[in-house]
Amino acid sequence: QPITTDMETLTREVKKFATDKKLEIEMLQVREEYRREFLGNVSHELKTPLFTVQGYLSTLIDGAMDDKTVRKKYLKRAEKGVERLIYIVEDLDMITKLESGDLNLEFSEFDIVELVQNVFDLLEMKADKKKITLAFENYHIQPILVHGDKDKIQQVVENLIVNSIKYGKEGGLTEVAIVNLTKKKVLVRITDNGEGIEKQNIPRLFERFYRVNKSGSRAEGGSGLGLAIVKHIIEAHKEKIYVESEFGIGSEFSFTIEKARLRKPELNLEQIYN
Ligand code: ADP
């Protein structure tokens, strides 16, 4: 009975087509919702520093310009607002690239100890302002070669250490440990003795624009994107990120990274045959 079979196949295919279309429409709706939410968040993030800059400039124009010390103070504040805008736009740029899969990782082998040391040097002034010490847990640390995208891993380490300073306490300590995890992996761990995070907030930390304390984060110049960027980069490396924290005691963020493969020394044929 070929006709019935055909009818059955046809019905099945029509049904499948309808289900596929329905799924496709649902997916488009989810994406549209996501896009709307993202744009809403973005304009909200940009508004605060823009209004700050506008406020200082208007006050200057309205007469504050005549006083030399006030003028300098307000211009500096306006400059800070612009700096913040630049940070936010750079983070937005990065998260857009990461989320659209537009970012190709460039793998190489590099010394992770040296990379952390470079980040320490870069953030020394920021840490000094809060009298926070940046240090390795083991003082005399040997080079450790790893395999990954060096610039992206530097961004991860930078974001995590910046957070340890932002949410650290005056006179606090940020310690970095590089732990031999398995034959193939090392763990990079950043520990602070700062404000810590309450348990119920931990699951949402890596969402974009999520902050435990909105005004605190904004005052520190945060875009709310730092940890979302960190998570994307680590996942693009097919590695893992962990967080442990105790409210009022401190936090510990760690991620895994692949060790550089040890190559067999190349045989020098001339030496063998001579
Ligand atoms: P931002 O710091 O710009 O707000 P992040 O994505 O880097 O955004 O971090 C999200 C939130 O996680 C922060 O607002 C803060 O509440 C919390 N957080 C991140 N790192 C730490 C830390 N080391 N100690 C305490 N809280 C932290």
Side-chain angles (χ1 to χ4, degrees), residues 115-127:
L115 182 141
V116 173
Q117 188 59 58
N118 287 343
V119 176
F120 280 173
D121 295 344
L122 214 74
L123 298 176
E124 197 181 330
M125 275 212 326
K126 200 175 172 69

Side-chain angles (χ1 to χ4, degrees), residues 207-218:
E207 284 173 25
R208 49 193 165 72
F209 301 114
Y210 179 80
R211 295 134 154 154
V212 175
N213 171 349
K214 286 210 178 356
S215 59
S217 155
R218 292 222 176 86

Side-chain angles (χ1 to χ4, degrees), residues 56-72:
Y56 285 116
L57 293 179
S58 304
T59 319
L60 281 165
I61 291 165
D62 290 346
M65 207 138 61
D66 305 335
D67 182 326
K68 203 175 157 212
T69 46
V70 173
R71 183 168 67 207
K72 189 149 185 201

Side-chain angles (χ1 to χ4, degrees), residues 91 159-168 190 192 194-197 201 204-214 216-218 220-230 245 250-253:
D91 277 358
N159 287 8
L160 293 176
I161 298 183
V162 163
N163 278 353
S164 80
I165 299 170
K166 286 198 298 198
Y167 309 106
I190 292 121
D192 67 59
E195 64 189 51
I197 305 150
N201 298 322
R204 299 197 58 193
L205 287 186
F206 295 95
E207 284 173 25
R208 49 193 165 72
F209 301 114
Y210 179 80
R211 295 134 154 154
V212 175
N213 171 349
K214 286 210 178 356
S217 155
R218 292 222 176 86
E220 290 285 357
S223 66
L225 291 171
L227 287 180
I229 290 173
V230 163
S245 188
S251 310
E252 197 177 280
F253 287 82

